[in-house]
Amino acid sequence: QQPVQSPQAVILREGEDAVINCSSSKALYSVHWYRQKHGEAPVFLMILLKGGEQKGHEKISASFNEKKQQSSLYLTASQLSYSGTYFCGTERAYNTDKLIFGTGTRLQVFP
Amino acid sequence: EAQVTQNPRYLITVTGKKLTVTCSQNMNHEYMSWYRQDPGLGLRQIYYSMNVEVTDKGDVPEGYKVSRKEKRNFPLILESPSPNQTSLYFCASSTLSGNIQYFGAGTRLSVL
């Protein structure tokens, strides 16, 4: 079942912060985050594993609440280069058959 | 350079005319997958393969076929394309299903 992302779209000014959420109705083993810039392929950002710690990547970090089957992606002091569509992907067990992606959150950062 | 290569990048065809979209990776990855991307629906998995000669359906397999005869190649076949298969298609590969997925550049398909 496809995870639900919220919000669907975010508009920011440079330097502002944003949070993107990803929720699943099923127990999860891992959550992946990808970013897709306009006209390009999705690119990996980070993986959060069950029982693992909060991850960070530049000014982008994420958390994973296993009890709630939720993950949040935090973008702080946003830059123009952060614009794109963010996808979460969820995995229910280690090396299962599939990574299921959410519907995406479109982020636009303006000067 | 490690990469996933899809061809063609753009394709316009007519209903019913069989087509193949090729996907090749040079990273010796076991896992390969095809996705379609449609506005508002995100990335939906069509088929995946855990290794050579091992393929299985994803969430939206109807109207598609795949094969995995070699580890590096995973072609997507549309035997009788229909307009509802107009979409942006991505091939991806990884060492395991839960590891980092590397995506190809995408194939934009229009079926008239």
Side-chain angles (χ1 to χ4, degrees):
Chain A
Q1 192 166 3
Q2 202 171 18
V4 177
Q5 287 185 236
S6 63
Q8 290 186 322
V10 183
I11 298 176
L12 297 173
R13 292 282 183 191
E14 262 188 306
E16 293 181 337
D17 302 339
V19 180
I20 299 172
N21 299 304
C22 174
S23 297
S24 173
S25 58
K26 306 285 186 182
L28 300 175
Y29 170 77
S30 70
V31 178
H32 302 218
W33 286 97
Y34 286 76
R35 176 171 63 202
Q36 182 183 32
K37 298 201 173 183
H38 183 69
E40 299 181 8
V43 174
F44 170 79
L45 290 176
M46 64 189 78
I47 293 177
L48 298 103
L49 302 178
K50 183 178 177 180
E53 296 177 354
Q54 181 165 336
K55 295 277 190 176
H57 176 76
E58 298 177 343
K59 293 181 181 176
I60 301 174
S61 62
S63 63
F64 178 20
N65 186 324
E66 302 156 30
K67 291 181 180 177
K68 294 185 177 180
Q69 290 94 248
Q70 287 180 348
S71 177
S72 295
L73 185 71
Y74 307 95
L75 299 101
T76 57
S78 59
Q79 305 168 15
L80 295 176
S81 62
Y82 287 2
S83 293
T85 301
Y86 290 77
F87 292 99
C88 68
T90 57
E91 185 185 28
R92 288 167 56 185
Y94 175 70
N95 197 27
T96 52
D97 48 9
K98 59 182 73 173
L99 185 68
I100 303 175
F101 285 96
T103 52
T105 295
R106 186 170 179 185
L107 181 80
Q108 286 185 282
V109 182
F110 290 96
Chain B
E1 180 190 352
Q3 60 185 7
V4 178
T5 304
Q6 285 181 236
N7 280 299
R9 291 290 313 281
Y10 303 91
L11 181 59
I12 301 174
T13 189
V14 295
T15 300
K17 186 176 181 181
K18 181 179 178 180
L19 67 91
T20 299
V21 183
T22 63
C23 174
S24 180
Q25 50 93 6
N26 63 0
M27 295 170 278
N28 201 36
H29 284 167
E30 284 76 22
Y31 184 86
M32 297 186 74
S33 182
W34 276 103
Y35 298 92
R36 62 177 289 174
Q37 184 176 15
D38 302 289
L41 298 178
L43 291 160
R44 293 182 294 166
Q45 191 178 51
I46 303 170
Y47 269 93
Y48 63 94
S49 170
M50 301 285 275
N51 215 323
V52 176
E53 302 291 1
V54 180
T55 63
D56 209 343
K57 296 176 181 179
D59 296 316
V60 288
E62 294 75 24
Y64 304 94
K65 285 177 58 177
V66 293
S67 68
R68 187 94 181 269
K69 294 186 172 66
E70 303 167 285
K71 198 172 187 179
R72 63 182 292 126
N73 296 324
F74 190 44
L76 180 69
I77 303 157
L78 285 75
E79 298 246 336
S80 183
S82 61
N84 64 14
Q85 292 178 298
T86 292
S87 187
L88 178 59
Y89 292 86
F90 286 103
C91 177
S93 75
S94 66
T95 50
L96 298 170
S97 63
N99 286 356
I100 299 170
Q101 297 215 11
Y102 296 87
F103 284 81
T107 296
R108 188 166 292 279
L109 172 67
S110 293
V111 183
L112 306 177

